[in-house]
Amino acid sequence: MFVPTSTFSGHLDALAARRPEASLLIDQDQRISATQLRAQSRALAAGLARIGVRPGHRVAVWLPNCAAWVESFLACAHLGAVVLAVNTRFRALEVADILGRGQADWLVFWPGFKGIDFQGILDGVDPAQLTRLQGVVALTGADEATPAAVPGIPVHRYADLLAADTPPPAPHGNAGVLCFTTSGTTSKPKFVMHDQQTLLRHGAAVAQAFGYDDDSCVLASAPFCGAFGFATLVGGLAQGVPVVCAPVFNAAESAQAVARHAVTHTYANNEALVGMMQAAPPGAFASARLFGFASFTPALDNMLDLAREAGVPLTGLYGSSELIALVAGQPRDPADGDVSARHQPGGTLIYPDARVRARDPESGQVLPHGQSGEIEILSPSLMQGYLDNPEATRHAVTDDGYFKTGDLGYTLTPRQFVFQTRMGDSLRLSGFLVNPVEIEQVVETLPGVRACQVVGATRQGKIVPYAFVLLHEGATADPDGWTAACKAAMAGFKAPAGFTVLDAFPSVESANSVKIQKHRLRDMADAMLSDPSPPPAP
């Protein structure tokens, strides 16, 4: 394993010296070598320093997956600036929150990008959230006009910064360098700060745990702005192997990229992987050594069958913004853990000295293996803390250093576990802690039901399950029949107290997926059960 240094600048120097012509990025089929990436990122660092970017400044990088994202990150790391990773799916209110509450000093964006109206979204941002901005960097082509971007704020062309003829300042030492934002499905997102050394060490651990060598090639299926996509990127950078990226994920194009570049590894949510396998011609994934997945999308039960047909080795994954993604992967070798859990979310922690435990949320007792509770993880990949929020940081970590994940699951060994659901989504029914997925899977077998989400609702002071369903085209609702079928298949206390048909589940965009807002479903379910009149016909 190629062990990185404590800073990205030092690591890039070592990569360029070790394998100068080795590809580190493949950006829309253009290969970028270690030498080229080093030169580009240093030139950008010099340009950013010339316009006033200083150590500790906060630079909002609002770009899709592309070479400019990586160059911007590496340039900021060299200067000691902090990257606020802005999700490209965000719109005006969310961007305003990141720029304002994150106290961004600088913004890097791509106004002419064809997939997203970045400038239009920026025009909708409340000017009060932009008062700290010192300047904007616009990624524009040679034939494109430089946009006004933000009234009264100077705009600098990315290409002009790259053309700076002054050397960059000396590299900054290890410090906080990257802030992910949490998904914010129930509250405003928090800013999760990681330092350079932790990120590089995590990349090296990912490369070792998932079997990278100098012939590996990694496909970045998730955006770099999120922990999932960045972990994919930093694993490739740590090992010095190419990372294939494209500004917008497209399942068919990604499948073609796997075949064209002999991709060995990729990590994606299950919906993305299913789309890729459905779009791929026979033999397209012959180079695949390991594809990891996170289960974000309900009602996808054909992924394993598709993987067998395509010859794709799959394994379940786990990660978070606070611990970084790919912190655990289900084992493929019995020496690494219980391989029967391979296709479940969670995994064996990739650090030999990392530990996991489950704690009963009511009694506070650490539970034996196999019993569900809140997962707590001790890992070297733990964040520095939540930016500007020391109180939240204290509450997130136990006295002995374990991160309180807020996830429901159970342990198999001191290093392996199975993730079940978010703790806020788990149900305490008749004294038992129940994973709603267990109920959802039964409901999704019922006639006419395409997908289901189950939440806990209050009826006469007691928590009961309530089901929201999406129907197949042309199907009709049958609440009485569904209830009878559920009572026949499960313990009575697990049978939903009611069913409501929706056109779509309420959701919020995150860097990794579309996440269902269960708190809104809980509010709807409480309203249904508090109203004695029957719900309107769907």
Side-chain angles (χ1 to χ4, degrees):
M1 179 180 68
F2 182 54
V3 180
T5 64
S6 63
T7 68
F8 279 91
S9 284
H11 180 61
L12 203 51
D13 288 344
L15 282 178
R18 172 176 168 256
R19 298 178 70 199
E21 300 310 314
S23 298
L24 292 187
L25 290 177
I26 302 176
D27 181 16
Q28 300 184 82
D29 289 338
Q30 179 182 356
R31 288 183 173 268
I32 300 171
S33 71
T35 300
Q36 291 170 320
L37 185 59
R38 179 182 181 276
Q40 288 284 97
S41 61
R42 295 293 161 82
L44 182 60
L48 290 173
R50 181 173 56 79
I51 64 173
V53 178
R54 298 290 181 262
H57 278 189
R58 299 176 183 182
V59 182
V61 175
W62 189 25
L63 296 171
N65 283 10
C66 60
W69 197 105
V70 183
E71 292 166 359
S72 297
F73 170 79
L74 292 171
C76 288
H78 184 90
L79 296 174
V82 176
V83 169
L84 300 175
V86 185
N87 189 343
T88 56
R89 297 180 180 183
F90 281 177
R91 295 302 179 258
L93 285 176
E94 298 152 314
V95 172
D97 180 59
I98 301 301
L99 298 179
R101 200 159 48 88
Q103 300 185 60
D105 299 291
W106 305 87
L107 170 66
V108 182
F109 83 124
W110 190 350
F113 182 66
K114 303 304 181 186
I116 301 167
D117 182 13
F118 284 104
Q119 183 62 55
I121 296 166
L122 193 58
D123 290 343
V125 171
D126 181 357
Q129 302 297 322
L130 305 175
T131 56
R132 186 176 166 120
L133 271 185
Q134 299 182 40
V136 174
V137 176
L139 189 65
T140 56
D143 57 345
E144 293 177 300
T146 303
V150 179
I153 303 296
V155 180
H156 308 273
R157 287 169 55 92
Y158 189 94
D160 293 341
L161 299 185
L162 282 176
D165 56 3
T166 56
H172 196 275
N174 180 46
V177 68
L178 179 62
C179 276
F180 300 120
T181 53
T182 58
S183 61
T185 55
T186 59
S187 62
K188 285 187 178 294
K190 294 188 284 290
F191 301 93
V192 181
M193 174 76 90
H194 288 279
D195 66 278
Q196 297 194 43
Q197 186 172 28
T198 299
L199 293 172
L200 277 166
R201 180 177 56 213
H202 189 70
V206 166
Q208 182 173 39
F210 295 101
Y212 294 6
D213 57 28
D214 287 347
D215 296 322
S216 297
C217 183
V218 183
L219 172 67
S221 303
F224 295 151
C225 62
F228 206 5
F230 188 84
T232 304
L233 170 65
V234 78
L237 287 178
Q239 180 67 27
V241 300
V243 176
V244 181
C245 59
V248 176
F249 173 79
N250 176 282
E253 291 174 2
S254 294
Q256 293 166 9
V258 170
R260 187 162 60 252
H261 300 297
V263 167
T264 57
H265 296 75
T266 195
Y267 314 98
N269 64 65
N270 52 347
E271 183 178 21
L273 283 182
V274 165
M276 287 170 58
M277 291 187 289
Q278 288 175 331
F285 295 157
S287 60
R289 296 188 207 162
L290 183 68
F291 285 10
F293 69 92
S295 295
F296 291 150
T297 305
L300 279 180
D301 56 4
N302 60 335
M303 181 176 65
L304 299 183
D305 291 335
L306 288 170
R308 278 191 290 270
E309 292 171 8
V312 172
L314 286 181
T315 198
L317 301 172
Y318 180 83
S320 68
S321 297
E322 292 86 351
L323 296 171
I324 317 177
L326 310 186
V327 73
Q330 294 292 6
R332 289 85 66 199
D333 186 329
D336 297 324
D338 184 351
V339 295
S340 69
R342 180 170 181 176
H343 295 136
Q344 298 187 65
T348 296
L349 294 164
I350 64 174
Y351 296 91
D353 54 343
R355 294 293 180 266
V356 61
R357 65 194 182 196
R359 187 184 298 275
D360 186 288
E362 291 192 350
S363 71
Q365 297 298 307
V366 173
L367 297 167
H369 298 319
Q371 289 192 22
S372 295
E374 181 180 10
I375 292 294
E376 297 178 348
I377 294 176
L378 180 71
S379 173
S381 62
L382 180 64
M383 63 179 177
Q384 281 191 317
Y386 296 117
L387 185 68
D388 303 329
N389 198 342
E391 182 179 0
T393 302
R394 285 193 299 272
H395 290 158
V397 182
T398 66
D399 291 341
D400 56 349
Y402 281 72
F403 174 64
K404 296 184 282 188
T405 66
D407 291 332
L408 179 73
Y410 56 90
T411 59
L412 297 171
T413 73
R415 289 184 57 225
Q416 187 183 4
F417 65 101
V418 171
F419 163 82
Q420 293 176 296
T421 190
R422 290 291 294 168
M423 282 295 298
D425 297 337
S426 65
L427 311 176
R428 179 71 72 169
L429 305 176
S430 298
F432 297 94
L433 201 58
V434 176
N435 180 5
V437 173
E438 178 185 350
I439 304 172
E440 292 163 1
Q441 289 174 340
V442 172
V443 174
E444 287 168 355
T445 67
L446 303 178
V449 176
R450 175 166 59 89
C452 174
Q453 289 289 302
V454 170
V455 297
T458 303
R459 182 177 65 185
Q460 299 176 345
K462 182 180 178 181
I463 298 296
V464 294
Y466 195 96
F468 292 88
V469 299
L470 310 181
L471 296 182
H472 289 291
E473 186 175 354
T476 56
D478 182 16
D480 292 340
W482 293 339
T483 299
C486 286
K487 288 181 176 178
M490 298 180 288
F493 64 83
K494 296 180 184 178
F499 295 86
T500 293
V501 176
L502 300 176
D503 292 328
F505 298 129
S507 62
V508 63
E509 301 272 9
S510 81
N512 301 321
S513 67
V514 177
K515 295 189 176 181
I516 294 169
Q517 294 180 301
K518 285 208 168 185
H519 69 287
R520 291 180 58 188
L521 294 178
R522 281 191 285 270
D523 291 343
M524 293 165 62
D526 282 337
M528 297 285 187
L529 294 179
S530 65
D531 185 351
S533 61

